[in-house]
Amino acid sequence: MTIAVGDKLPDVKLIKAGESGPEPVQTADFFAGKKVALFSVPGAFTPTCSAKHLPGFVDKAAELKAKGIDAIACTAVNDAFVMGAWGKASGSDDVAMLADGNGDFVKAIDLVMDGTGFGMGERGKRFSMVVNDGVVEQLNVEAPGAFEVSSADYMLGQL
């Protein structure tokens, strides 16, 4: 069943690129005790993700934090090395880049996108959510091919 407002996020291991290599990040630990703006993209370095989605959260980081967001995180079904490189290319330390390399997180919340027709395999749908102490407060899932409700601007309007 797809995650919904009021649900607690499942405890899944994600990976981030650290100083000395990949580092595990348990979702239960990452989201505990803070309000997080989380967004998911179908793939790092893909056109809409690189031109609009990630830059929007980078540009609006201060405004999101001024409205009570403690941390901003991006996830994608990519490996930690790709997510780390994309994070460096984006020019911001304000967004934690969390790799969901095997798609365990998007499978656990039932937000999988079938990108096999594009040679991408199974990926995560484009979405955003506000998570408060591990509980989903806002959930914005895009229609296929759309980029409207998962943007930083849309989230700012919800806070």
Side-chain angles (χ1 to χ4, degrees):
M1 186 147 100
T2 304
I3 193 100
V5 171
D7 290 349
K8 187 163 185 66
L9 287 180
D11 188 19
V12 177
K13 181 176 77 171
L14 299 171
I15 307 288
K16 71 176 182 176
E19 295 285 322
S20 54
E23 299 174 0
V25 176
Q26 285 300 132
T27 54
D29 297 331
F30 185 84
F31 292 97
K34 58 189 166 206
K35 195 170 198 171
V36 180
L38 173 68
F39 65 103
S40 174
V41 298
F45 293 107
T46 57
T48 300
C49 305
S50 291
K52 296 178 184 176
H53 211 166
L54 178 58
F57 279 91
V58 170
D59 293 344
K60 302 293 183 178
E63 291 175 58
L64 288 162
K65 290 179 179 182
K67 288 199 169 199
I69 295 295
D70 300 307
I72 303 166
C74 174
T75 187
V77 179
N78 287 113
D79 64 63
F81 300 104
V82 169
M83 292 297 285
W86 194 38
K88 285 181 183 172
S90 78
S92 176
D93 291 329
D94 287 321
V95 180
M97 305 301 281
L98 303 176
D100 185 17
N102 296 324
D104 295 337
F105 181 67
V106 292
K107 289 174 189 168
I109 62 173
D110 194 25
L111 287 174
V112 176
M113 176 195 88
D114 182 1
T116 56
F118 306 103
M120 296 174 67
E122 287 188 337
R123 298 293 181 113
K125 290 182 180 182
R126 185 181 306 281
F127 66 85
S128 71
M129 60 175 74
V130 175
V131 181
N132 193 353
D133 195 23
V135 177
V136 178
E137 285 190 343
Q138 298 287 341
L139 176 61
N140 310 299
V141 181
E142 295 287 1
F147 176 64
E148 297 165 13
V149 300
S150 65
S151 71
D153 285 326
Y154 190 88
M155 184 178 283
L156 277 167
Q158 294 178 308
L159 296 173

